[in-house]
Amino acid sequence: MATSKENGSKETATGSAQKSGQPAKRGFAAMDQNQQREIASKGGQAAHQKGTAHEFDSEEARRAGQKGGEAVSRNRAHMADIGRKGGESRQSAQRAAAAAMADKGNRQSSKDN
């Protein structure tokens, strides 16, 4: 069993990470974002120089997009929501355009008077 002194030192070692319920960040995750980008960039450059980096060509990208679209369209409820939102958006745009035209007509008629 741990003594209270050991518990106290453990609490200060992990500090707020233990209190928030998340593990303490270590290694790559503990670095600031610029440092992470710099290291990741070096890895990408090395892969390209070595010839092992993967680049999508347009046909491969098209197939990947098609596969994603097929997966999404299987969810009928999701597709219905998308269609509904699109219809509502279009309807509200048409109403706004009609209101703008009516407002423009009203302004012109008031200038004539």
Side-chain angles (χ1 to χ4, degrees):
M1 189 175 228
T3 64
S4 61
K5 185 176 180 182
E6 287 174 358
N7 286 341
S9 64
K10 282 184 183 178
E11 256 183 47
T12 56
T14 56
S16 63
Q18 246 186 5
K19 291 177 185 175
S20 67
Q22 296 176 346
K25 290 184 178 180
R26 302 184 318 188
F28 196 74
M31 295 179 191
D32 70 344
Q33 212 170 21
N34 290 333
Q35 245 182 333
Q36 289 179 356
R37 280 197 184 123
E38 190 176 321
I39 292 170
S41 174
K42 287 178 183 177
Q45 289 171 2
H48 279 281
Q49 288 173 355
K50 189 177 174 184
T52 58
H54 180 75
E55 293 183 24
F56 280 96
D57 61 4
S58 59
E59 177 61 24
E60 192 175 9
R62 186 192 67 77
R63 278 188 273 130
Q66 184 178 14
K67 187 176 178 181
E70 288 171 358
V72 168
S73 65
R74 285 189 201 117
N75 184 344
R76 301 295 294 161
H78 176 68
M79 293 303 289
D81 287 342
I82 291 171
R84 188 175 307 106
K85 286 178 184 174
E88 289 169 356
S89 175
R90 184 173 180 167
Q91 186 178 25
S92 64
Q94 287 175 341
R95 285 182 180 164
M101 290 298 285
D103 188 42
K104 186 177 178 183
N106 288 339
R107 278 192 251 156
Q108 284 181 351
S109 66
S110 65
K111 285 181 185 177
D112 291 342
N113 290 335

